[in-house]
Amino acid sequence: MKKLAIVLLSICACLLAETPSTVAIRNAKIVTVSGPVIAKGTVVVRNGLIEAAGENVTIPADAWVVEGEGLTVYPGLIDALSTVGIPGAAPAAAVAGGRGGRGQTATPTPTAVAAAPRAMGPEDRPQTTSWEVAADLISPADRRIETVRGGGITTAVTFPTRGIFAGQGSVIDLISGEKAGEMIVASPVGQYISFAGGRGFGGGFPTSLMGVISYVRQIYLDIDHYKLVKDAYAKDPRGMQRPEYDRALEGVMASPRILLPANRLVEIDRALHLAAELKQPTIIYGGREAYREGAADLLKKANVPMLISLRWAEFPRDADPDNEPSMRTLENIDQGPAAAVALKKAGVKFAFYSDGVDNPRDLQRAVKKAIDAGLSREDAIRAMTLTPAEIYGIDNRVGSVEKGKIANLIVTKGDLFDDRTQIEMVFVDGKQYKPATPAGGGRGPSTDEPGGNQ
Amino acid sequence: MRKLIIAGLLALAPLCAETIVIRNATIMTVTKGTIKGSIVVKDGKIAEVGEKVMEPQGATVIDASNQYVIPGIIDCHSHIAVDGGVNEGSVSVSSMVNIKDVINPEDIAIYRALAGGVTTANILHGSANSIGGQTLVLKMRWGKDADDMIFQGAKPGIKFALGENPKRAGNPAGGRGAGTPVQARYPATRMGVEDTIREAFTEAKAYKAEWDDYKAKAARGERAIPPRKDLKLEALKEVLEGDRYVHAHCYRADEILMLLRVADDYGFKIRTLQHVLEGYKVAKEIAAHGAGASTFSDWFNYKMEAVDAIPYNAAIMTKKGVTVSLNSDDAELMRHLNSEAGKAMKYGGMSETEALAMVTLNPAKQLGIDNRVGSIEVGKDADLVIYDKFPLNDFAKVQKVLIDGHKYFDRDEEVSSRPGKEAEKQKLIEKEKQAQPRTQGGRGGRG
């Protein structure tokens, strides 16, 4: 029976390879996220947009009708921090501490710019590609697009992640298109900053966490000065030395917000201090210890949203029994997934990000862990739909099932994130995609590198 | 629920400054001799010290019969509580980096130092660079966040380093670079270290002139664009203006004299010479410059530049008029600086008070905080350590430590809390082991 269903589904998928421009899903439960749940209603999709969603919606005559009895429609999921679409990129990591010691922070890995000449100071703009924009790097052929879409992710906020000022992120819709340009929803949406810089003793500047922080600080001081000089020159260039064009500063200036890494409580405190000093709209990513007393209050006070990594700390397998994990490690394993509940209680805006957990089954399990730790299913869904859209200022186009928004939808049998729930259909820009077979394992070779929270 | 109450108590405790009386102790005040008596602590300060004191009503009484009280120990040279590396070793002038940015208040070394009677420490950048990073003074307020650890009002510093450490990074065949293909970094000799420091201050002077010029123009109402703010030179400008202390790592007499001459040439002061193992050879010159000396008790011969070290160094420099402290430079040694001070009595015949001053009042003077800490006097911060025995003794154990009149360490509480903590940990381990078979099914697609 099950086999038959799969065969039927695949036939369906083949037949529908070209989705009609108008689709109506009727008699389905609709989780709009922006408003109340519609127990039985219809969603009409036309030309890639949601034309209507509600209880009493007239189905257009030209629509391909999907019988939604027993099915639930959700907005497509948004991965709030990803590298999908950028070929060869490692999953976005949250290394915040450099050589933190005591096993609490991942060791920084050599970065892609190892071939660059040794930097002697901030003036050499080390490990900086702030001018790179994800939208310019996207390859529609990236195989991870299909993998993550199978988990219901229709939209990814994708970033270049190598370096200190790694580059500007773009929001992309995960269509299997021919042209990268079709995929871009918004760009640029922020500058990805990592503190993982440093190539060890004997490498160029900076090698230490304090070096990285001083570099970040100097960049913003340089921007202040750069603006003054540029403005003065624009007003009257006569008799004035021509200011030098600085692409590193231009790239940072073009970014509407910055993303700072922080996993441990002390790192959250540190990142918030830096954000306040730089006076930049900031998002913090990582959040492994955001469950700890005080973390949520700090974020609330600073009014800074957090992206929580779905790569939860795990109990070491086959570990040396004599080498007991520290109490802190144990608490992180035990309570890490409760971070979202703590932030919710404190009224902090938060979203989840995959951190390289690309495989649909793993993604589902990871979100389920947060739900098991006390997060309501509604809040879990919101943390992967409307909230990330709000955080990046794109909630006017994605994140909920609402008239006029982009038709990014997922259709499930059963509640989203439950163990046995299958994602039946995924719509991106109104086009239907067959979810990748769940248990297949990660496909993209580019997911081999470890994520930040390991 | 219990956890909540404990958390609540912890949060409250430092807020409400209790009135405390430490009764019947042997009090080594450092500045006013050793007396048998009591100390009254009010609002975080020492309110009264004497054989007989007025005990305020409702005060918490600590009975210290047969016990000793000393001022909190001050370590003038420490690298604990730092995240992400203590050296920005890429460049030999790294004055743009600041230890303040990377304080880790959760470093267990803080608690261990506290358990060794340390209440204040000068947290320094490492010694890899001729001019290292900016430094600051912390109080060991275990449990507080990074901001609350900072000794407010203590002048910030900067680390310099001379000799083998900064020059070895210039030599690919030596020191830390051995075996790994590193690019050699200037300087590679002691001459080069001097040149590096001179060059940096020449640049800093030009930078200062540029800013002074701009400020003068602005004051005259002329339109001018302010110069670029350079974090590296900003810190050196503060040194030139006397707003930042220089703590210089050094060993040999020749390099010590070199640095004093460089400082004189550029018109700034060396606040402390750190390690300064050959200080006894040039103690008069050090005293004349007004620099303090923060040395080791009896470490020697661990590297070439330490072969001429003698355990009498501290005593000789003291007798020549130098303010001398003994430091740890090490998280472990930091836990028993009291016995390090004791060694100064054996080598060089320092008195009890002189020896104790080397880990209390003298480092306080060197850090410019002796108006606040370093001795048991009315009006000073109530940073106090209670020992069970004579403190300059290997067998003495710290019983309680107060900082700003709050108890941050209590040996009895620590020892009695251990079984509970261990049980809690084993419970978690069991829980996670139980949960393991389930998660093992979740083999992801990475492999």
Side-chain angles (χ1 to χ4, degrees):
Chain A
M1 183 61 210
K2 207 180 133 198
K3 250 187 191 165
L4 189 73
I6 289 170
V7 170
L8 280 174
L9 269 174
S10 3
I11 291 170
C12 272
C14 290
L15 288 173
L16 298 170
E18 272 299 308
T19 317
S21 68
T22 310
V23 179
I25 308 164
R26 70 174 177 198
N27 297 328
K29 179 177 161 189
I30 306 165
V31 178
T32 63
V33 179
S34 54
V37 173
I38 298 163
K40 203 164 197 173
T42 302
V43 181
V44 178
V45 170
R46 189 191 291 277
N47 295 330
L49 299 174
I50 298 169
E51 190 180 68
E55 277 173 357
N56 305 306
V57 170
T58 319
I59 296 173
D62 59 341
W64 169 59
V65 178
V66 176
E67 182 51 54
E69 189 70 50
L71 300 179
T72 310
V73 180
Y74 295 91
L77 302 182
I78 300 171
D79 187 348
L81 171 52
S82 169
T83 57
V84 72
I86 302 178
V95 179
R99 200 201 68 176
R102 292 165 205 47
Q104 284 162 20
T105 312
T107 318
T109 45
T111 52
V113 276
R118 177 185 166 138
M120 295 307 292
E123 296 73 20
D124 293 337
R125 307 293 186 235
Q127 300 173 58
T128 295
T129 47
S130 58
W131 57 88
E132 283 197 345
V133 183
D136 300 335
L137 307 172
I138 296 298
S139 161
D142 185 356
R143 293 178 64 195
R144 290 171 67 203
I145 291 172
E146 194 191 341
T147 307
V148 305
R149 197 171 55 210
I153 292 174
T154 60
T155 306
V157 191
T158 197
F159 284 88
T161 55
R162 286 178 175 162
I164 298 170
F165 287 94
Q168 301 165 46
S170 305
V171 181
I172 61 169
D173 263 359
L174 300 182
I175 53 173
S176 292
E178 302 220 316
K179 284 190 283 183
E182 296 174 349
M183 301 169 72
I184 313 305
V185 177
S187 182
V189 294
Q191 179 74 220
Y192 183 93
I193 296 177
S194 82
F195 292 163
R199 281 175 274 159
F201 226 83
F205 177 88
T207 60
S208 63
L209 176 61
M210 58 185 155
V212 173
I213 293 175
S214 75
Y215 174 54
V216 172
R217 181 176 288 132
Q218 184 69 60
I219 282 286
Y220 282 93
L221 288 173
D222 287 354
I223 285 174
D224 288 345
H225 189 251
Y226 188 66
K227 281 183 184 162
L228 283 177
V229 176
K230 266 178 78 169
D231 285 356
Y233 192 77
K235 259 184 211 144
D236 187 7
R238 283 168 300 185
M240 191 180 161
Q241 290 287 324
R242 182 174 76 248
E244 195 182 319
Y245 178 82
D246 190 329
R247 64 177 178 170
L249 302 184
E250 295 284 349
V252 177
M253 285 157 65
S255 310
R257 55 183 71 79
I258 55 174
L259 281 80
L260 293 177
N263 271 317
R264 292 150 56 209
L265 177 58
V266 46
E267 290 167 350
I268 294 170
D269 188 31
R270 187 177 294 147
L272 290 174
H273 271 75
L274 189 61
E277 186 190 324
L278 302 177
K279 297 188 181 69
Q280 297 299 308
T282 300
I283 300 169
I284 290 184
Y285 64 94
R288 191 196 301 130
E289 289 188 3
Y291 68 88
R292 287 185 60 201
E293 177 110 26
D297 293 340
L298 286 175
L299 289 158
K300 178 67 191 167
K301 216 170 128 193
N303 195 24
V304 167
M306 170 163 266
L307 309 182
I308 304 170
S309 164
L310 283 170
R311 189 182 286 278
W312 308 117
E314 281 179 15
F315 196 74
R317 289 184 191 127
D318 311 319
D320 177 358
D322 290 338
N323 197 2
E324 254 178 26
S326 70
M327 191 63 189
R328 175 61 58 84
T329 306
L330 288 166
E331 284 173 350
N332 287 347
I333 296 165
D334 190 48
Q335 296 175 55
V341 191
L343 298 185
K344 170 74 189 171
K345 272 187 195 149
V348 176
K349 237 183 219 303
F350 65 92
F352 290 124
Y353 73 102
S354 63
D355 203 356
V357 180
D358 284 352
N359 178 274
R361 196 92 186 95
D362 294 342
L363 182 80
Q364 175 268 321
R365 282 201 179 105
V367 179
K368 187 69 180 3
K369 267 197 170 182
I371 295 172
D372 290 345
L375 188 70
S376 73
R377 189 181 306 274
E378 293 69 39
D379 289 331
I381 292 164
R382 204 179 200 285
M384 294 202 76
T385 54
L386 196 53
T387 306
E390 287 166 358
I391 288 173
Y392 287 103
I394 48 165
D395 52 313
N396 54 5
R397 63 200 86 168
V398 290
S400 61
V401 184
E402 268 182 279
K403 185 183 169 181
K405 283 198 176 179
I406 294 170
N408 291 347
L409 304 167
I410 48 181
V411 181
T412 64
K413 190 173 272 175
D415 286 335
L416 192 60
F417 303 129
D418 264 358
D419 291 344
R420 322 190 78 168
T421 294
Q422 289 288 336
I423 295 174
E424 303 282 333
M425 298 175 191
V426 177
F427 290 88
V428 189
D429 280 343
K431 278 190 210 132
Q432 196 221 332
Y433 292 93
K434 173 194 162 198
T437 23
R443 288 151 176 260
S446 50
T447 59
D448 285 351
E449 291 184 46
N453 273 1
Q454 267 193 337
Chain B
M1 188 62 206
R2 211 199 61 180
K3 251 189 185 166
L4 198 73
I5 292 171
I6 292 173
L9 283 176
L10 281 176
L12 278 177
L15 287 176
C16 44
E18 300 178 85
T19 302
I20 297 172
V21 176
I22 302 172
R23 209 187 263 169
N24 300 329
T26 303
I27 303 165
M28 302 176 77
T29 65
V30 180
T31 44
K32 307 232 161 98
T34 298
I35 58 162
K36 277 208 157 46
S38 303
I39 303 168
V40 180
V41 172
K42 250 188 214 165
D43 302 322
K45 301 276 181 192
I46 297 167
E48 212 183 333
V49 187
E51 287 169 12
K52 289 236 156 57
V53 296
M54 284 288 293
E55 290 190 7
Q57 267 199 335
T60 308
V61 175
I62 299 172
D63 181 23
S65 304
N66 303 318
Q67 296 188 327
Y68 286 76
V69 184
I70 65 165
I73 290 173
I74 299 168
D75 188 350
C76 200
H77 191 127
S78 172
H79 301 294
I80 65 166
V82 173
D83 256 355
V86 295
N87 275 300
E88 176 48 53
S90 57
V91 286
S92 206
V93 179
S94 63
S95 41
M96 72 291 269
V97 307
N98 195 339
I99 290 285
K100 193 178 172 185
D101 288 331
V102 289
I103 290 298
N104 174 14
E106 296 179 341
D107 185 352
I108 191 66
I110 298 169
Y111 186 67
R112 289 174 181 158
L114 196 57
V118 176
T119 54
T120 297
N122 189 25
I123 308 298
L124 298 173
H125 181 276
S127 56
N129 306 341
S130 307
I131 296 180
Q134 301 166 42
T135 70
L136 85 168
V137 183
L138 295 185
K139 280 207 187 187
M140 306 287 103
R141 299 186 186 106
W142 179 247
K144 298 296 191 75
D145 66 17
D147 272 357
D148 286 341
M149 300 265 309
I150 295 170
F151 193 124
Q152 293 298 340
K155 199 181 270 190
I158 188 164
K159 176 75 175 287
F160 284 18
L162 312 176
E164 289 179 17
N165 291 14
K167 81 182 177 73
R168 95 177 128 200
N171 184 354
R176 282 167 218 248
T180 50
V182 292
Q183 287 170 281
R185 181 194 84 179
Y186 184 80
T189 61
R190 281 187 163 78
M191 297 182 282
V193 171
E194 174 176 359
D195 174 60
T196 301
I197 297 171
R198 283 185 182 274
E199 203 178 321
F201 275 95
T202 304
E203 213 185 328
K205 281 204 146 175
Y207 176 75
K208 182 171 154 21
E210 206 184 342
W211 272 98
D212 290 346
D213 183 48
Y214 162 73
K215 279 176 190 157
K217 272 187 187 161
R220 288 197 299 271
E222 286 174 41
R223 276 192 55 215
I225 298 171
R228 166 181 179 261
K229 198 165 186 181
D230 185 314
L231 290 172
K232 180 180 93 174
L233 299 174
E234 211 42 52
L236 301 183
K237 179 169 162 269
E238 286 168 12
V239 170
L240 289 170
E241 289 166 349
D243 294 332
R244 187 173 283 283
Y245 287 151
V246 176
H247 303 292
H249 159 119
C250 57
Y251 279 82
R252 272 174 26 183
D254 56 350
E255 68 193 16
I256 293 166
L257 294 178
M258 175 277 283
L259 183 65
L260 298 181
R261 278 194 298 267
V262 170
D264 288 344
D265 284 356
Y266 286 86
F268 65 90
K269 287 284 173 198
I270 305 297
R271 184 69 185 187
T272 69
L273 294 160
Q274 298 282 332
H275 311 326
V276 57
L277 295 191
E278 290 187 16
Y280 65 94
K281 296 182 181 176
V282 289
K284 257 196 256 175
E285 288 81 355
I286 295 171
H289 181 87
S294 188
T295 186
F296 294 133
S297 55
D298 55 357
W299 294 23
F300 80 111
N301 240 4
Y302 49 92
K303 53 177 167 176
M304 270 316 291
E305 61 189 5
V307 292
D308 255 6
I310 56 170
Y312 299 90
N313 190 33
I316 292 174
M317 288 193 290
T318 302
K319 282 172 184 161
K320 299 277 183 184
V322 180
T323 301
V324 178
S325 68
L326 294 169
N327 68 53
S328 77
D329 192 14
D330 177 79
E332 192 283 322
L333 185 64
M334 198 175 179
R335 303 163 68 175
H336 47 92
L337 277 167
N338 60 316
S339 61
E340 293 300 293
K343 289 176 189 170
M345 293 170 67
K346 175 172 172 59
Y347 302 110
M350 297 279 102
S351 71
E352 279 174 23
T353 300
E354 280 174 314
L356 185 58
M358 285 183 181
V359 292
T360 54
L361 186 63
N362 293 0
K365 284 178 180 165
Q366 292 174 340
L367 296 171
I369 48 176
D370 53 312
N371 59 336
R372 291 269 306 278
V373 291
S375 61
I376 300 179
E377 284 178 80
V378 172
K380 282 200 174 181
D381 294 1
D383 295 2
L384 302 166
V385 184
I386 303 176
Y387 280 91
D388 60 344
K389 295 188 179 71
F390 177 61
L392 302 175
N393 173 340
D394 278 342
F395 297 98
K397 288 192 189 111
V398 171
Q399 302 301 307
K400 288 182 176 61
V401 179
L402 270 60
I403 298 177
D404 306 321
H406 302 296
K407 193 169 69 180
Y408 282 88
F409 176 77
D410 187 310
R411 190 178 174 81
D412 292 340
E413 284 170 18
E414 165 58 34
V415 171
S416 63
S417 72
R418 283 177 187 170
K421 284 179 189 160
E422 184 55 29
E424 205 177 326
K425 185 174 177 183
Q426 289 309 323
K427 220 171 90 185
L428 267 183
I429 290 177
E430 271 318 301
K431 183 177 167 188
E432 296 308 327
K433 276 186 185 159
Q434 295 294 322
Q436 245 195 325
R438 274 194 290 129
T439 54
Q440 255 167 1
R443 200 181 63 82
R446 301 166 299 281

